[in-house]
Amino acid sequence: MPTDPTPRRRVAFIFPIYNEEANIDLLHRTVDEVTAPLAGRYDFSFIYVDDGSRDASLDRLTELGARDPRVTVVELSRNFGHQMAVTAGLDLVDADATVIMDSDLQDPPRVALELLEKWEEGYEVVYAQRRSRRDSPFKRFTASAFYWFLQKMAAVEIPKNTGDFRLVDRKVVDELRKYRERDRFLRGLVSYVGFRQTAVLFDRDQRHAGVTGYPLTKMLRFAADGILGFSTTPLRMITRMGYLISMLSFLGVLYVVGVKLFAPETAVPGWAFITIAMFFLGGIQIIMLGVLGSYIGRTYSQVQNRPLYTVASVRTGVPSAAEAGEDRRSAAR
């Protein structure tokens, strides 16, 4: 019989999961419906990485794996964070193209079709760029400020209004696996490795259920990972701040000498100016030490060379309880 000379290309979806029990079924059903028309062109698979969820997310994923053999469930031993969960999926995936997508349905699954179209045009990285977002004014303001600051500070150009929602080619995944820094900022790493990249604009939806895994404290830490991981500008700013303070101090000395020489009767003795100056210089020094400490701390964590994450189990095509019982009976016979 004649064989198909053009085998179907494999496309995998990676979903990091943390306390998303209310979203899992709808997420998978929606992605399955969106990708169904392309089932004749691509072999789709779905990797769900449970990042130490405290709710029933893992049970929902196990049930999902029992229903759909295309599902792979990766269980991490504890909560390692969103970026590590995505990294675990990238380390495991074996596909021609990989779509990284959040599990809260703010990233519309239908946009994945547009990502695939751009990939077919020859782009190795296709990132989804937010045209609009349904977030609070505070969230929109802080996001805009972060991307503005990141563009000013980072050594590589990281597109603004983008998250981890993107498609990456196999060759990009192979390159990303070489980068093992602990304080990960994946969208920065994708920009750093290069290749042909383009954007697909989309309107971000509201979260379907649950609460965000990125409260303000985690967002600030994540922003620090993006800035400190791709820029040495804070270190250069310390030097510039030192030059500025030295220049102000020199001007202050000239002022004091001038008053003593030309208008000694106007000189008012006192400690207020000295005290303020000491506190000011002390604050600047503490800030400088904090910036240096951030870089040193990251270096310390990196040289420890510990694994980025720990996998408790990997289950592909998890059998149902009835099927598992039948397999045990067959094995006993």
Side-chain angles (χ1 to χ4, degrees), residues 188-218:
L189 287 176
V190 174
S191 296
Y192 183 83
V193 299
F195 295 99
R196 294 187 62 197
Q197 305 195 13
T198 190
V200 167
L201 298 178
F202 78 104
D203 299 307
R204 200 175 196 214
D205 293 335
Q206 289 181 323
R207 165 179 275 272
H208 172 257
V211 296
T212 178
Y214 273 101
L216 181 59
T217 53
K218 284 190 176 181

Side-chain angles (χ1 to χ4, degrees), residues 51-296:
D51 186 26
S53 296
R54 299 179 180 179
D55 60 1
S57 294
L58 186 59
D59 295 335
R60 298 287 183 273
L61 294 176
T62 302
E63 296 169 1
L64 185 62
R67 300 194 304 266
D68 192 339
R70 301 171 300 171
V71 170
T72 297
V73 179
V74 180
E75 178 190 0
L76 300 186
S77 61
R78 63 172 177 83
N79 177 245
F80 286 89
H82 178 274
Q83 300 292 285
M84 294 302 184
V86 176
T87 299
L90 290 173
D91 289 342
L92 178 68
V93 71
D94 181 17
D96 297 300
T98 301
V99 178
I100 304 169
M101 183 184 300
D102 285 342
S103 53
D104 55 11
L105 291 170
Q106 286 188 289
D107 298 336
R110 63 183 181 277
V111 179
L113 302 183
E114 300 180 52
L115 304 183
L116 284 169
E117 290 178 4
K118 290 294 183 181
W119 176 57
E120 291 289 1
E121 293 177 10
Y123 292 98
E124 286 95 1
V125 176
V126 188
Y127 51 86
Q129 192 167 36
R130 298 165 188 145
R131 181 168 44 208
S132 65
R133 54 192 302 165
R134 298 182 182 180
D135 292 318
S136 65
F138 177 77
K139 178 74 171 180
R140 291 196 297 268
F141 171 76
T142 54
S144 299
F146 166 68
Y147 282 109
W148 177 86
F149 193 65
L150 188 62
Q151 286 185 329
K152 297 294 183 182
M153 301 282 284
V156 296
E157 183 179 355
I158 301 174
K160 65 178 182 179
N161 295 326
T162 59
D164 293 318
F165 185 20
R166 62 191 61 217
L167 179 148
V168 290
D169 188 83
R170 177 191 292 272
K171 63 182 70 174
V172 180
V173 174
D174 291 340
E175 286 299 314
L176 290 174
R177 287 171 178 165
K178 300 176 184 178
Y179 295 80
R180 310 306 291 178
E181 56 256 46
R182 299 190 58 82
D183 301 294
R184 303 181 74 78
F185 187 66
L186 283 171
R187 67 197 70 170
L189 287 176
V190 174
S191 296
Y192 183 83
V193 299
F195 295 99
R196 294 187 62 197
Q197 305 195 13
T198 190
V200 167
L201 298 178
F202 78 104
D203 299 307
R204 200 175 196 214
D205 293 335
Q206 289 181 323
R207 165 179 275 272
H208 172 257
V211 296
T212 178
Y214 273 101
L216 181 59
T217 53
K218 284 190 176 181
M219 284 299 299
L220 292 175
R221 189 159 53 246
F222 188 56
D225 290 339
I227 294 168
L228 300 181
F230 291 91
S231 175
T232 57
T233 301
L235 295 176
R236 293 195 298 270
M237 289 177 63
I238 289 177
T239 303
R240 294 169 184 170
M241 183 66 72
Y243 287 141
L244 176 62
I245 293 174
S246 298
M247 184 180 68
L248 292 176
S249 300
F250 180 72
L251 293 176
V253 170
L254 292 180
Y255 172 76
V256 171
V257 172
V259 169
K260 288 290 186 181
L261 291 178
F262 302 105
E265 67 281 358
T266 62
V268 179
W271 296 96
F273 176 78
I274 296 175
T275 304
I276 292 173
M278 288 179 61
F279 276 110
F280 175 72
L281 291 176
I284 292 297
Q285 289 174 338
I286 292 173
I287 292 173
M288 292 177 176
L289 289 174
V291 173
L292 290 172
S294 296
Y295 280 97
I296 294 171

